[in-house]
Amino acid sequence: MKKISIRTISQIIIVGIVLFLAFTHQQYGIEQASPIHAYCPFGALEGALTYIFSGEFLTKTYRSNYILLAIFVLLTIFFGRVFCGFFCPLGAISERLRALGKKLGIKKDVELPDTLDKYMRYVKYLVLLIIIYFSFRYTALVFDAYDPFSAFAHLGNEFDELIFAYSVLGFVVITALFSKGRRCRYFCPLGAFFALVKKLGFFKLKRDNNTCISCGICRKSCPANLKIKTADQITHPDCISCMECVNDCPKNSLDVYILGKKIKKQTFLWVVTGIFFITLSIVIWTPLWKTKPVSNIISDQGIIKVENIRGSNTLQYVIDTTKVPLTYFQEKLQLPVDIDTTMKLKEIGTTYDIKNLSGEIIETEDFRIAIDQYEEKKDNQEVTCPFGEVNCEFPGECGAYTDQDKNQICDYSE
Ligand code: SF4
Ligand code: SF4
């Protein structure tokens, strides 16, 4: 039986961590557990231009994204695209799916002709540019709706909202059964970024022409399907430093060099995994590591930013943060009197079978609209109590008592 490598163990740990984070977020909501987007280095790339020009983080991203990106950029400079080879959950799952495909009888990798394959590898750079541009233009994670990682981390939830992302995930899963790393090679924008960074790095893979017997085993083992046996140095940006070729070469003709110094394969695997997990374990205990702001629903100027209200916010949290009373939501959205306010907004409509005026089950957007209308009403009512009363209770001290939000306190005194 093939010995399980430290790289595989690292991949299993990462997939386990991602599933744990995804589950806790889905289970306990955004107030208890940050969305998975906060743990993806790609979020930092998507939000970089917005942050540079406005100092704002894109919704669902925060400092953690930038810290992770910085760690992986440094690792890439020294060790090549190890994010893709060791720490990408989708890459890990794709590799296991290809192994499953082989067990199911799809022994031969289904590949595009070499010339087409060569050009398809450039598509990911275009995808990267498009995403960075539109994320900046619309100040949002525009890729989220198509992101297979996002779909994976939603664990089957929000299927309607993420229908495209789930479709892409389905495509990734099916193609991974019969071909190696096709998504990574052709379409992955984060892979494209690390491929560019790798060009500046110190990692080299060299083939000894004197001992190589051109058996081609290395290409079969390579998840990036690289032509290794014809190159003296494997400098291709799609090499993900996985060491599979080094491991499987029957003549030990392949060696790793960093800063010109030869490194043993096993040392390489341990150093990469060790540096990452030790660095991460330290960083998450520093004050720098933050996966979400205390709340981004209220801006520094005290304005409610309804677009930052998430379906995973609980009703109670929204009430506490926005100061919009429960009675207003009950009246506006026909919420039951005994509603469980610890429920997430996205679950309320289906749980209580509440429909909006269009006859559709109410969603987070209906809460956002209600809050907007409440604020508008408040602005139009900038009339204050002529007697200076504060929180004047029913029936009021004068004849002007008004209580449109039905909280038993005169609106002029609130
Ligand atoms: S597996 Fe080793 S011997 Fe075979 S072609 Fe690749 S480098 Fe040469
Ligand atoms: S060339 Fe070797 S190290 Fe690079 S991706 Fe292919 S198998 Fe992995």
Side-chain angles (χ1 to χ4, degrees):
M1 204 175 105
K2 206 175 170 185
K3 219 172 114 190
I4 187 160
S5 76
I6 182 71
R7 184 175 84 90
T8 308
I9 294 172
S10 161
Q11 290 177 314
I12 293 169
I13 294 173
I14 290 293
V15 172
I17 293 174
V18 166
L19 286 174
F20 171 76
L21 294 171
F23 176 77
T24 48
H25 175 66
Q26 293 301 325
Q27 190 70 12
Y28 303 110
I30 196 165
E31 293 125 37
Q32 315 278 340
S34 302
I36 198 69
H37 306 76
Y39 303 96
C40 177
F42 192 57
L45 280 179
E46 292 171 285
L49 289 179
T50 303
Y51 188 73
I52 290 167
F53 287 102
S54 70
E56 298 255 332
F57 292 101
L58 295 186
T59 304
K60 300 187 192 173
T61 67
Y62 209 48
R63 280 197 230 154
S64 46
N65 298 83
Y66 292 83
I67 292 171
L68 285 170
L69 185 67
I71 293 174
F72 285 123
V73 165
L74 286 174
L75 283 173
T76 307
I77 287 173
F78 283 94
F79 306 111
R81 282 176 56 183
V82 288
F83 170 81
C84 309
F86 290 65
F87 308 112
C88 172
L90 282 189
I93 290 167
S94 299
E95 280 185 47
R96 297 313 137 221
L97 282 169
R98 181 64 195 108
L100 175 70
K102 282 187 179 159
K103 283 204 176 104
L104 293 174
I106 314 167
K107 299 283 179 216
K108 202 169 168 347
D109 296 309
V110 179
E111 292 295 341
L112 298 180
D114 279 358
T115 316
L116 186 55
D117 171 77
K118 185 177 155 196
Y119 290 111
M120 283 300 289
R121 288 175 192 259
Y122 290 107
V123 172
K124 60 181 176 291
Y125 299 103
L126 189 64
V127 174
L128 173 67
L129 280 179
I130 290 172
I131 293 173
I132 290 181
Y133 171 73
F134 281 105
S135 302
F136 176 55
R137 181 158 176 207
Y138 294 108
T139 337
L141 295 177
V142 289
F143 180 49
D144 193 27
Y146 312 93
D147 184 356
F149 176 61
S150 179
F152 172 69
H154 274 79
L155 308 174
N157 292 295
E158 297 180 32
F159 194 81
D160 289 348
E161 283 180 40
L162 292 171
I163 182 80
F164 291 116
Y166 278 110
S167 308
V168 176
L169 181 64
F171 172 78
V172 169
V173 168
I174 291 166
T175 54
L177 284 168
F178 54 82
S179 80
K180 300 183 289 186
R182 185 166 286 183
R183 175 196 68 89
C184 315
R185 263 186 279 160
Y186 300 156
F187 305 115
C188 180
L190 187 53
F193 173 74
F194 286 127
L196 296 172
V197 177
K198 179 183 179 284
K199 282 277 178 201
L200 312 168
F202 310 126
F203 170 85
K204 298 261 178 314
L205 193 56
K206 293 185 186 174
R207 187 183 61 94
D208 184 346
N209 209 13
N210 297 317
T211 55
C212 172
I213 52 169
S214 298
C215 64
I217 288 175
C218 43
R219 188 175 189 187
K220 282 199 189 115
S221 306
C222 177
N225 199 34
L226 298 177
K227 288 184 207 161
I228 302 166
K229 71 175 184 185
T230 48
D232 290 338
Q233 276 201 36
I234 295 84
T235 54
H236 200 288
D238 286 349
C239 169
I240 57 170
S241 300
C242 67
M243 298 295 110
E244 293 300 323
C245 55
V246 182
N247 197 40
D248 293 349
C249 173
K251 294 291 171 187
N252 292 327
S253 301
L254 295 162
D255 287 303
V256 176
Y257 289 80
I258 294 169
L259 286 167
K261 202 170 171 331
K262 190 164 152 182
I263 309 275
K264 281 191 182 148
K265 176 200 78 184
Q266 209 58 16
T267 311
F268 180 86
L269 295 173
W270 276 105
V271 168
V272 168
T273 327
I275 289 182
F276 173 70
F277 283 113
I278 292 169
T279 309
L280 191 66
S281 311
I282 296 170
V283 152
I284 57 173
W285 295 109
T286 66
L288 277 177
W289 180 263
K290 291 247 182 328
T291 55
K292 63 183 167 73
V294 178
S295 169
N296 58 359
I297 294 176
I298 307 292
S299 74
D300 293 343
Q301 292 74 35
I303 295 164
I304 299 174
K305 298 181 95 178
V306 287
E307 67 274 19
N308 289 342
I309 293 172
R310 316 302 316 163
S312 50
N313 282 124
T314 59
L315 178 57
Q316 190 59 54
Y317 182 78
V318 171
I319 291 168
D320 293 343
T321 318
T322 61
K323 306 291 180 228
V324 176
L326 172 61
T327 46
Y328 177 80
F329 287 119
Q330 284 171 323
E331 184 197 348
K332 197 86 195 161
L333 300 174
Q334 307 299 310
L335 307 187
V337 182
D338 58 348
I339 186 167
D340 175 7
T341 55
T342 61
M343 191 172 276
K344 291 177 208 144
L345 299 187
K346 64 182 175 189
E347 291 167 353
I348 290 175
T350 42
T351 306
Y352 294 101
D353 192 25
I354 305 168
K355 300 204 168 87
N356 57 22
L357 291 177
S358 320
E360 289 162 358
I361 294 283
I362 59 163
E363 293 181 359
T364 311
E365 190 57 24
D366 293 289
F367 285 89
R368 294 188 188 117
I369 293 168
I371 294 167
D372 262 344
Q373 290 172 344
Y374 179 84
E375 286 300 295
E376 216 172 287
K377 194 182 88 176
K378 240 175 62 183
D379 290 346
N380 296 337
Q381 274 181 357
E382 278 304 310
V383 183
T384 51
C385 173
F387 303 105
E389 292 285 334
V390 176
N391 288 340
C392 180
E393 291 181 6
F394 178 81
E397 303 286 326
C398 70
Y401 180 85
T402 304
D403 185 16
Q404 289 195 21
D405 52 11
K406 300 207 174 12
N407 64 352
Q408 304 295 302
I409 293 172
C410 175
D411 296 341
Y412 298 142
S413 69
E414 284 185 88

